[in-house]
Amino acid sequence: MLLLYEYDFFWAFLIVSSVIPILAFLISGVLAPISKGPEKLSSYESGIEPMGDAWLQFRIRYYMFALVFVVFDVETVFLYPWAMSFDVLGVSVFIEALIFVLILIVGSIYAWRKGALEWS
């Protein structure tokens, strides 16, 4: 028997969490002042003309460092559910998690050897 009344809180939360951002956008669109002057249409709204070139080149190392951090940080989060249910899952899941951790270690050693973890 399908008991739909058990999902009442879910549907109420889904509706409220969908209506609040829509109302926020609608209210801000109605209440926001609309003024299009020459300062508003310029590159910078301060009214001061920019000096020099706005193009700055960043070193790719910063992006690589951030990308490696995010990848390994997110991947280690996948270990938490496994650790919480370790006693129930059995040996096969332990071997799968061990292979997963070994892949993470090999990836971090590869990134370290390539110099992706060097900041300077």
PDB file of all heavy atoms in Angstrom, residues 72 79 94-110:
ATOM      1  N   PHE A  72      40.367  16.015  -4.627  1.00  0.00           N
ATOM      2  CA  PHE A  72      40.679  15.090  -3.544  1.00  0.00           C
ATOM      3  C   PHE A  72      39.812  15.330  -2.315  1.00  0.00           C
ATOM      4  O   PHE A  72      39.506  14.398  -1.580  1.00  0.00           O
ATOM      5  CB  PHE A  72      42.163  15.157  -3.190  1.00  0.00           C
ATOM      6  CG  PHE A  72      43.022  14.532  -4.242  1.00  0.00           C
ATOM      7  CD1 PHE A  72      43.829  15.303  -5.044  1.00  0.00           C
ATOM      8  CD2 PHE A  72      42.985  13.171  -4.446  1.00  0.00           C
ATOM      9  CE1 PHE A  72      44.615  14.728  -6.024  1.00  0.00           C
ATOM     10  CE2 PHE A  72      43.767  12.581  -5.424  1.00  0.00           C
ATOM     11  CZ  PHE A  72      44.570  13.366  -6.212  1.00  0.00           C
ATOM     12  N   LEU A  79      34.115   8.638   1.234  1.00  0.00           N
ATOM     13  CA  LEU A  79      34.491   7.602   2.186  1.00  0.00           C
ATOM     14  C   LEU A  79      33.647   7.633   3.463  1.00  0.00           C
ATOM     15  O   LEU A  79      33.584   6.636   4.179  1.00  0.00           O
ATOM     16  CB  LEU A  79      35.967   7.745   2.548  1.00  0.00           C
ATOM     17  CG  LEU A  79      36.953   7.438   1.430  1.00  0.00           C
ATOM     18  CD1 LEU A  79      38.364   7.740   1.905  1.00  0.00           C
ATOM     19  CD2 LEU A  79      36.820   6.007   0.989  1.00  0.00           C
ATOM     20  N   PHE A  94      34.801  -3.534   1.544  1.00  0.00           N
ATOM     21  CA  PHE A  94      36.094  -3.109   2.085  1.00  0.00           C
ATOM     22  C   PHE A  94      37.168  -3.129   1.005  1.00  0.00           C
ATOM     23  O   PHE A  94      37.971  -2.204   0.898  1.00  0.00           O
ATOM     24  CB  PHE A  94      36.496  -4.008   3.255  1.00  0.00           C
ATOM     25  CG  PHE A  94      37.866  -3.709   3.774  1.00  0.00           C
ATOM     26  CD1 PHE A  94      38.089  -2.563   4.520  1.00  0.00           C
ATOM     27  CD2 PHE A  94      38.925  -4.554   3.502  1.00  0.00           C
ATOM     28  CE1 PHE A  94      39.357  -2.268   4.995  1.00  0.00           C
ATOM     29  CE2 PHE A  94      40.187  -4.274   3.971  1.00  0.00           C
ATOM     30  CZ  PHE A  94      40.402  -3.127   4.722  1.00  0.00           C
ATOM     31  N   ILE A  95      37.166  -4.154   0.175  1.00  0.00           N
ATOM     32  CA  ILE A  95      38.144  -4.240  -0.912  1.00  0.00           C
ATOM     33  C   ILE A  95      37.902  -3.125  -1.936  1.00  0.00           C
ATOM     34  O   ILE A  95      38.853  -2.501  -2.429  1.00  0.00           O
ATOM     35  CB  ILE A  95      38.094  -5.635  -1.565  1.00  0.00           C
ATOM     36  CG1 ILE A  95      38.587  -6.675  -0.552  1.00  0.00           C
ATOM     37  CG2 ILE A  95      38.924  -5.683  -2.840  1.00  0.00           C
ATOM     38  CD1 ILE A  95      38.401  -8.104  -0.990  1.00  0.00           C
ATOM     39  N   GLU A  96      36.639  -2.839  -2.255  1.00  0.00           N
ATOM     40  CA  GLU A  96      36.326  -1.744  -3.178  1.00  0.00           C
ATOM     41  C   GLU A  96      36.792  -0.401  -2.619  1.00  0.00           C
ATOM     42  O   GLU A  96      37.357   0.429  -3.344  1.00  0.00           O
ATOM     43  CB  GLU A  96      34.836  -1.697  -3.457  1.00  0.00           C
ATOM     44  CG  GLU A  96      34.337  -2.839  -4.292  1.00  0.00           C
ATOM     45  CD  GLU A  96      32.837  -2.817  -4.453  1.00  0.00           C
ATOM     46  OE1 GLU A  96      32.202  -1.821  -4.042  1.00  0.00           O
ATOM     47  OE2 GLU A  96      32.287  -3.791  -4.991  1.00  0.00           O
ATOM     48  N   ALA A  97      36.567  -0.171  -1.332  1.00  0.00           N
ATOM     49  CA  ALA A  97      37.006   1.082  -0.710  1.00  0.00           C
ATOM     50  C   ALA A  97      38.531   1.150  -0.659  1.00  0.00           C
ATOM     51  O   ALA A  97      39.105   2.232  -0.828  1.00  0.00           O
ATOM     52  CB  ALA A  97      36.418   1.211   0.691  1.00  0.00           C
ATOM     53  N   LEU A  98      39.180   0.024  -0.457  1.00  0.00           N
ATOM     54  CA  LEU A  98      40.641  -0.008  -0.457  1.00  0.00           C
ATOM     55  C   LEU A  98      41.188   0.342  -1.842  1.00  0.00           C
ATOM     56  O   LEU A  98      42.140   1.119  -1.961  1.00  0.00           O
ATOM     57  CB  LEU A  98      41.125  -1.385  -0.017  1.00  0.00           C
ATOM     58  CG  LEU A  98      42.611  -1.530   0.234  1.00  0.00           C
ATOM     59  CD1 LEU A  98      43.035  -0.639   1.392  1.00  0.00           C
ATOM     60  CD2 LEU A  98      42.942  -2.974   0.529  1.00  0.00           C
ATOM     61  N   ILE A  99      40.563  -0.176  -2.894  1.00  0.00           N
ATOM     62  CA  ILE A  99      40.970   0.172  -4.259  1.00  0.00           C
ATOM     63  C   ILE A  99      40.738   1.657  -4.509  1.00  0.00           C
ATOM     64  O   ILE A  99      41.570   2.337  -5.123  1.00  0.00           O
ATOM     65  CB  ILE A  99      40.208  -0.703  -5.273  1.00  0.00           C
ATOM     66  CG1 ILE A  99      40.669  -2.146  -5.159  1.00  0.00           C
ATOM     67  CG2 ILE A  99      40.389  -0.191  -6.696  1.00  0.00           C
ATOM     68  CD1 ILE A  99      39.825  -3.126  -5.946  1.00  0.00           C
ATOM     69  N   PHE A 100      39.626   2.178  -4.020  1.00  0.00           N
ATOM     70  CA  PHE A 100      39.320   3.605  -4.166  1.00  0.00           C
ATOM     71  C   PHE A 100      40.388   4.464  -3.489  1.00  0.00           C
ATOM     72  O   PHE A 100      40.874   5.441  -4.067  1.00  0.00           O
ATOM     73  CB  PHE A 100      37.937   3.883  -3.579  1.00  0.00           C
ATOM     74  CG  PHE A 100      37.508   5.307  -3.647  1.00  0.00           C
ATOM     75  CD1 PHE A 100      37.129   5.873  -4.847  1.00  0.00           C
ATOM     76  CD2 PHE A 100      37.478   6.094  -2.507  1.00  0.00           C
ATOM     77  CE1 PHE A 100      36.725   7.183  -4.916  1.00  0.00           C
ATOM     78  CE2 PHE A 100      37.082   7.403  -2.566  1.00  0.00           C
ATOM     79  CZ  PHE A 100      36.701   7.951  -3.776  1.00  0.00           C
ATOM     80  N   VAL A 101      40.770   4.100  -2.282  1.00  0.00           N
ATOM     81  CA  VAL A 101      41.799   4.854  -1.555  1.00  0.00           C
ATOM     82  C   VAL A 101      43.156   4.728  -2.258  1.00  0.00           C
ATOM     83  O   VAL A 101      43.907   5.704  -2.341  1.00  0.00           O
ATOM     84  CB  VAL A 101      41.883   4.366  -0.091  1.00  0.00           C
ATOM     85  CG1 VAL A 101      43.101   4.925   0.613  1.00  0.00           C
ATOM     86  CG2 VAL A 101      40.620   4.754   0.659  1.00  0.00           C
ATOM     87  N   LEU A 102      43.449   3.563  -2.801  1.00  0.00           N
ATOM     88  CA  LEU A 102      44.705   3.400  -3.540  1.00  0.00           C
ATOM     89  C   LEU A 102      44.735   4.279  -4.789  1.00  0.00           C
ATOM     90  O   LEU A 102      45.770   4.854  -5.122  1.00  0.00           O
ATOM     91  CB  LEU A 102      44.922   1.933  -3.899  1.00  0.00           C
ATOM     92  CG  LEU A 102      45.296   1.018  -2.729  1.00  0.00           C
ATOM     93  CD1 LEU A 102      45.358  -0.431  -3.191  1.00  0.00           C
ATOM     94  CD2 LEU A 102      46.599   1.437  -2.113  1.00  0.00           C
ATOM     95  N   ILE A 103      43.603   4.390  -5.472  1.00  0.00           N
ATOM     96  CA  ILE A 103      43.528   5.279  -6.637  1.00  0.00           C
ATOM     97  C   ILE A 103      43.742   6.728  -6.206  1.00  0.00           C
ATOM     98  O   ILE A 103      44.442   7.499  -6.884  1.00  0.00           O
ATOM     99  CB  ILE A 103      42.195   5.095  -7.374  1.00  0.00           C
ATOM    100  CG1 ILE A 103      42.156   3.732  -8.052  1.00  0.00           C
ATOM    101  CG2 ILE A 103      41.968   6.202  -8.401  1.00  0.00           C
ATOM    102  CD1 ILE A 103      40.818   3.364  -8.632  1.00  0.00           C
ATOM    103  N   LEU A 104      43.174   7.120  -5.070  1.00  0.00           N
ATOM    104  CA  LEU A 104      43.394   8.473  -4.559  1.00  0.00           C
ATOM    105  C   LEU A 104      44.872   8.703  -4.219  1.00  0.00           C
ATOM    106  O   LEU A 104      45.415   9.775  -4.507  1.00  0.00           O
ATOM    107  CB  LEU A 104      42.542   8.716  -3.310  1.00  0.00           C
ATOM    108  CG  LEU A 104      41.067   8.991  -3.526  1.00  0.00           C
ATOM    109  CD1 LEU A 104      40.379   9.173  -2.182  1.00  0.00           C
ATOM    110  CD2 LEU A 104      40.870  10.214  -4.380  1.00  0.00           C
ATOM    111  N   ILE A 105      45.505   7.714  -3.621  1.00  0.00           N
ATOM    112  CA  ILE A 105      46.924   7.859  -3.269  1.00  0.00           C
ATOM    113  C   ILE A 105      47.777   7.966  -4.529  1.00  0.00           C
ATOM    114  O   ILE A 105      48.673   8.817  -4.611  1.00  0.00           O
ATOM    115  CB  ILE A 105      47.364   6.685  -2.367  1.00  0.00           C
ATOM    116  CG1 ILE A 105      46.700   6.800  -1.001  1.00  0.00           C
ATOM    117  CG2 ILE A 105      48.876   6.631  -2.233  1.00  0.00           C
ATOM    118  CD1 ILE A 105      46.894   5.600  -0.111  1.00  0.00           C
ATOM    119  N   VAL A 106      47.496   7.130  -5.518  1.00  0.00           N
ATOM    120  CA  VAL A 106      48.254   7.193  -6.769  1.00  0.00           C
ATOM    121  C   VAL A 106      48.041   8.547  -7.441  1.00  0.00           C
ATOM    122  O   VAL A 106      48.985   9.160  -7.961  1.00  0.00           O
ATOM    123  CB  VAL A 106      47.851   6.027  -7.705  1.00  0.00           C
ATOM    124  CG1 VAL A 106      48.385   6.230  -9.111  1.00  0.00           C
ATOM    125  CG2 VAL A 106      48.333   4.711  -7.144  1.00  0.00           C
ATOM    126  N   GLY A 107      46.810   9.055  -7.422  1.00  0.00           N
ATOM    127  CA  GLY A 107      46.534  10.364  -8.015  1.00  0.00           C
ATOM    128  C   GLY A 107      47.239  11.493  -7.289  1.00  0.00           C
ATOM    129  O   GLY A 107      47.768  12.416  -7.921  1.00  0.00           O
ATOM    130  N   SER A 108      47.284  11.422  -5.967  1.00  0.00           N
ATOM    131  CA  SER A 108      47.973  12.479  -5.227  1.00  0.00           C
ATOM    132  C   SER A 108      49.494  12.407  -5.436  1.00  0.00           C
ATOM    133  O   SER A 108      50.156  13.440  -5.524  1.00  0.00           O
ATOM    134  CB  SER A 108      47.631  12.409  -3.738  1.00  0.00           C
ATOM    135  OG  SER A 108      48.083  11.197  -3.194  1.00  0.00           O
ATOM    136  N   ILE A 109      50.041  11.197  -5.541  1.00  0.00           N
ATOM    137  CA  ILE A 109      51.472  11.067  -5.836  1.00  0.00           C
ATOM    138  C   ILE A 109      51.773  11.601  -7.230  1.00  0.00           C
ATOM    139  O   ILE A 109      52.776  12.297  -7.440  1.00  0.00           O
ATOM    140  CB  ILE A 109      51.920   9.598  -5.676  1.00  0.00           C
ATOM    141  CG1 ILE A 109      51.884   9.203  -4.205  1.00  0.00           C
ATOM    142  CG2 ILE A 109      53.308   9.377  -6.253  1.00  0.00           C
ATOM    143  CD1 ILE A 109      52.117   7.741  -3.951  1.00  0.00           C
ATOM    144  N   TYR A 110      50.896  11.322  -8.182  1.00  0.00           N
ATOM    145  CA  TYR A 110      51.083  11.835  -9.546  1.00  0.00           C
ATOM    146  C   TYR A 110      51.055  13.368  -9.558  1.00  0.00           C
ATOM    147  O   TYR A 110      51.897  14.007 -10.198  1.00  0.00           O
ATOM    148  CB  TYR A 110      49.999  11.272 -10.457  1.00  0.00           C
ATOM    149  CG  TYR A 110      50.050  11.815 -11.860  1.00  0.00           C
ATOM    150  CD1 TYR A 110      50.998  11.352 -12.760  1.00  0.00           C
ATOM    151  CD2 TYR A 110      49.148  12.793 -12.270  1.00  0.00           C
ATOM    152  CE1 TYR A 110      51.052  11.856 -14.042  1.00  0.00           C
ATOM    153  CE2 TYR A 110      49.198  13.301 -13.550  1.00  0.00           C
ATOM    154  CZ  TYR A 110      50.148  12.826 -14.437  1.00  0.00           C
ATOM    155  OH  TYR A 110      50.193  13.326 -15.696  1.00  0.00           O
TER     156      TYR A 110
END
